[in-house]
Amino acid sequence: MTHKATFRHVGVIGAGAWGTALAQVCARAGLQVTLQARETEVVASVNATHRNDLFLPGIDLEPTIKAAPDLADLADCDLILAVAPAQHLRAALTAFAPHHKAGAPIVLCSKGVEQGTLKLMTDVAAEALPDATIAVLSGPSFAGEVARSLPAAVTLACEDEALGRAIAEAIAIPTFRPYTANDLIGAEAGGAVKNVLAIACGIVEGKGLGRNAHATVITRGFAELTRLAVTLGAKPETLAGLCGLGDLVLTCSSPQSRNMSVGLALGQGLTLEQALAGKVSVAEGVASAPAVRALARKVGVEVPICEAVAAILAGEVAVDDAIAGLLSRPLKSEA
C-alpha cells in the first residue's frame, strides 16, 4: 500500500493563514482536503471563490479544497493537521475528539506554551486525544510564501519514524520538503520560544539599534531557546535544524513575521494594544511570552531576553529600561 493510499483525506483544523497554506500544500500533493473554519465568511469564500482573503489575501487556492464549519466534517479524515492557535488548541482538540477517526495521526502545527498549565502542545494534545498518535510540524515557513509555492523546508517529527516518513511523503511537493525527525520536544520547543525572541528582534529594529544588536539577539536568543528546550528533554541537534535555528532566523529577520511586527511597533513607541490593533492573525509570542517565562523559572533555566519581552508585554517595565537591564548584565562565558 502506498502512502497516498494510506492518507487519502486530510483534515485541517483552523483556517488562518498557516492552516490555509497547509491545505494548499496537501491539495497540490493530490490529497482530498477539508479545511475547517470557524468563520462563516471564510467557509463561503473558500468554497465559492477559492480565496481566503480574511487570513491569506491575494492567494488563489486549489479548487479541490473544501471548507467546512464543523469539526464533525473531519470525521472521515485519515490525517489531521491541527493548526488552531496554541492557546485554543486544547479546546479545539477536545471538541474534535468525538469525531476523531481511530488511527488517524494528529500533526500539531501550532507553536507555543499553554498559559496556566505551562505545557507544550504535545502534552495538550495527549490530554485531549489520549489515543491519538501525535506528530509535530515546524520550521521556517511564512504562510504566504508556502501558499504561493515558493520553496520551503520544515521538520516533521514523529516517534514512529516509519509513520513520520509516510506523513512526510504524503504531504510533500517539490516546493515543500518535510525532513523527518523523532524528537517531538525539540521540534515544538524551538517554535514556541522563537516567537518570543522575534518580538525582541522587532523591538531592536523599531528602536534602530542596528544590525549588530539584531545578530546578538538572535544568537543569544538561540542560546536561551537551546537551554530551555534541552532541559525539557530536546536533543541539541534538533534545535540546530529547521525547527530551531531555521525558524528562529526567519521569524526574527522579516516584518512579515507577525511577532516581529509587534516588536517593531513596541520599539517605535506604540502600546501593545496599538501594536495589535487591526491584526486578524494571532501573534503567538504575545500569549507565549508569559508562559515561556514561567516555564523557564519553573525548571530553573535563565532566559533573560524572554524575561525582558514578557516584562515589556505585561507593562512591568518600559522598553528602554528593559534594554538597559540586558546591557548591564554581568559579563560571563559564552558557553
Side-chain angles (χ1 to χ4, degrees):
M1 183 178 290
T2 67
H3 62 267
K4 291 291 173 75
T6 303
F7 301 117
R8 296 186 183 91
H9 189 182
V10 177
V12 180
I13 299 176
W18 186 220
T20 304
L22 288 173
Q24 181 92 316
V25 167
C26 292
R28 287 176 174 165
L31 299 166
Q32 180 184 350
V33 180
T34 301
L35 176 63
Q36 182 269 333
R38 294 186 304 163
E39 300 82 6
T40 56
E41 66 270 32
V42 171
V43 174
S45 178
V46 170
N47 290 335
T49 67
H50 313 302
R51 300 279 290 256
N52 181 355
D53 284 329
L54 180 61
F55 293 113
L56 198 61
I59 303 292
D60 292 321
L61 302 177
E62 293 296 315
T64 56
I65 297 171
K66 303 301 181 188
D70 299 319
L71 290 166
D73 292 305
L74 308 185
D76 291 332
C77 295
D78 41 40
L79 178 64
I80 298 294
L81 307 185
V83 204
Q87 304 307 323
H88 301 284
L89 183 69
R90 183 184 296 275
L93 291 183
T94 299
F96 174 65
H99 313 294
H100 177 228
K101 182 179 179 179
I106 308 291
V107 182
L108 304 178
C109 308
S110 305
K111 301 169 182 177
V113 176
E114 188 177 48
Q115 292 181 339
T117 67
L118 307 183
K119 292 183 176 181
L120 294 173
M121 298 299 99
T122 49
D123 295 320
V124 171
E127 291 176 2
L129 290 168
D131 297 325
T133 300
I134 304 298
V136 172
L137 182 73
S138 186
S141 46
F142 284 147
E145 295 186 8
V146 169
R148 295 197 304 273
S149 288
L150 297 177
V154 294
T155 298
L156 191 287
C158 185
E159 289 183 355
D160 182 333
E161 295 186 28
L163 176 61
R165 285 194 299 273
I167 296 171
E169 290 169 1
I171 67 174
I173 57 176
T175 56
F176 189 78
R177 296 176 54 80
Y179 285 78
T180 57
N182 60 9
D183 178 12
L184 273 71
I185 295 176
E188 65 173 335
V193 180
K194 63 93 184 181
N195 284 328
V196 182
L197 297 170
I199 295 174
C201 281
I203 291 171
V204 167
E205 290 293 307
K207 292 294 294 184
L209 300 181
R211 309 317 299 168
N212 296 337
H214 186 261
T216 297
V217 170
I218 291 178
T219 308
R220 295 309 301 161
F222 182 62
E224 293 185 17
L225 181 158
T226 303
R227 282 197 301 270
L228 179 57
V230 168
T231 300
L232 295 174
K235 300 174 184 176
E237 57 267 30
T238 306
L239 301 165
L242 291 162
C243 58
L245 181 60
D247 207 0
L248 178 68
V249 169
L250 178 71
T251 313
C252 291
S253 300
S254 171
Q256 278 189 68
S257 159
R258 295 188 294 269
N259 295 285
M260 188 174 177
S261 70
V262 169
L264 186 66
L266 294 173
Q268 292 171 339
L270 275 65
T271 65
L272 179 59
E273 291 72 22
Q274 291 169 331
L276 295 175
K279 293 184 183 296
V280 294
S281 295
V282 175
E284 294 276 25
V286 174
S288 289
V292 167
R293 174 169 68 168
L295 178 60
R297 289 177 177 178
K298 179 181 177 182
V299 298
V301 173
E302 252 194 355
V303 290
I305 298 172
C306 291
E307 286 262 2
V309 171
I312 290 168
L313 294 175
E316 298 166 3
V317 63
V319 168
D320 288 343
D321 292 336
I323 293 170
L326 288 171
L327 292 176
S328 62
R329 285 172 53 82
L331 299 179
K332 57 184 291 188
S333 168
E334 188 176 20

